């Protein structure tokens, strides 16, 4: 994992202003990067807190933002789902296809996706994860033909909405992790 290049890329993501009309806030959230299992989600569903926004506006404290982002994710339903798969957060990384929260967490427009997907691919290339876990249809669609070390699962909300067996998906990812780590 090349953190110097990743930090520079994440600074570019934080400074991005391409989607000001399509996002809840123009506050790109690069993600959390620590381990070799990369979870790729649709978009940040939780806007950053005012304290985090203030930090990011200073544009000079990415590491602190990353810790805050991890804490926010760990305490939401997606973090609890990830904990079922791997409760050691030193082994995982998390990013999103779309880097800014969308209004009411709606599916991002094609323009927003196009503005962000290049950043995602650069993050993946720099991280060189052993496994990419695509969470949801959007992440699978932008990863499936480009990377081979991936497994795809529905988003946690989809699993709950359609009363699917969560253990099936947890085990699917654990099996894939076991093959590469």
């Amino acid at each position: 994992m090349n953190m110097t290049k990743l930090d520079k890329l994440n600074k570019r993501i934080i400074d991005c202003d391409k989607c000001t009309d399509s996002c809840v806030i123009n506050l790109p959230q690069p993600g959390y990067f620590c381990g070799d299992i990369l979870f790729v989600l649709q978009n940040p569903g939780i806007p950053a807190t005012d304290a985090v926004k203030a930090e990011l506006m200073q544009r000079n404290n990415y590491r602190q933002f990353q810790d805050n982002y991890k804490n926010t994710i760990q305490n939401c339903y997606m973090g609890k789902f990830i904990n079922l798969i791997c409760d050691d957060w030193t082994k995982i990384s998390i990013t999103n296809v779309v880097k800014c929260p969308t209004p009411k967490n709606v599916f991002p427009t094609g323009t927003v996706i196009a503005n962000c997907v290049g950043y995602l691919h650069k993050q993946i290339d720099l991280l060189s994860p052993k496994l990419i876990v695509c969470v949801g249809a959007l992440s699978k669609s932008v990863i499936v033909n480009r990377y081979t070390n991936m497994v795809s699962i529905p988003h946690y909300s989809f699993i709950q909405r359609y009363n699917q067996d969560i253990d099936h998906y947890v085990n699917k990812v654990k099996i894939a992790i076991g093959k590469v780590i």
Side-chain angles (χ1 to χ4, degrees):
M1 185 180 322
N2 189 331
M3 290 308 287
T4 303
K5 288 183 179 179
L6 186 62
D7 286 343
K8 288 178 183 176
L9 174 62
N10 290 336
K11 174 86 168 95
R12 288 196 348 243
I13 292 169
I14 290 169
D15 290 339
C16 179
D17 63 356
K18 294 178 182 178
C19 302
T20 55
D21 297 336
S22 306
C23 298
V24 173
I25 50 174
N26 183 34
L27 188 61
Q29 301 180 26
Y32 167 75
F33 308 104
C34 195
D36 289 328
I37 304 165
L38 176 63
F39 287 82
V40 179
L41 312 175
Q42 175 178 295
N43 61 297
I46 302 170
T49 64
D50 288 339
V52 174
K53 288 179 197 177
E55 280 181 29
L56 273 183
M57 292 314 212
Q58 295 174 15
R59 307 289 190 206
N60 63 358
N61 197 355
Y62 171 69
R63 292 281 180 211
Q64 181 64 40
F65 169 75
Q66 186 177 9
D67 290 340
N68 288 343
Y69 182 82
K70 177 187 83 168
N71 292 335
T72 301
I73 292 289
Q74 283 179 318
N75 292 313
C76 74
Y77 63 89
M78 195 65 227
K80 292 173 184 170
F81 181 50
I82 291 170
N83 275 332
L84 292 174
I85 297 166
C86 179
D87 62 0
D88 181 354
W89 284 63
T90 64
K91 294 181 180 177
I92 67 170
S93 296
I94 302 171
T95 193
N96 299 287
V97 174
V98 172
K99 305 304 181 187
C100 290
T102 55
K104 297 182 182 177
N105 206 24
V106 299
F107 195 84
T109 65
T111 301
V112 172
I113 294 166
N115 286 341
C116 293
V117 76
Y119 290 132
L120 172 67
H121 291 306
K122 287 175 186 167
Q123 286 176 319
I124 293 171
D125 292 343
L126 289 171
L127 288 166
S128 300
K130 291 181 180 174
L131 179 68
I132 301 169
V133 181
C134 298
V135 181
L138 176 59
S139 62
K140 180 181 178 183
S141 72
V142 299
I143 300 228
V144 71
N145 292 320
R146 186 170 173 135
Y147 304 96
T148 57
N149 57 333
M150 62 154 288
V151 62
S152 177
I153 59 173
H155 191 277
Y156 183 68
S157 62
F158 180 91
I159 294 169
Q160 285 195 317
R161 185 178 312 127
Y162 294 101
N163 202 27
Q164 295 187 351
D165 180 13
I166 194 167
D167 291 334
H168 167 75
Y169 297 107
V170 168
N171 289 333
K172 180 180 178 179
V173 177
K174 284 183 175 183
I175 289 168
I177 291 170
K179 290 179 181 178
V180 297
I181 295 195

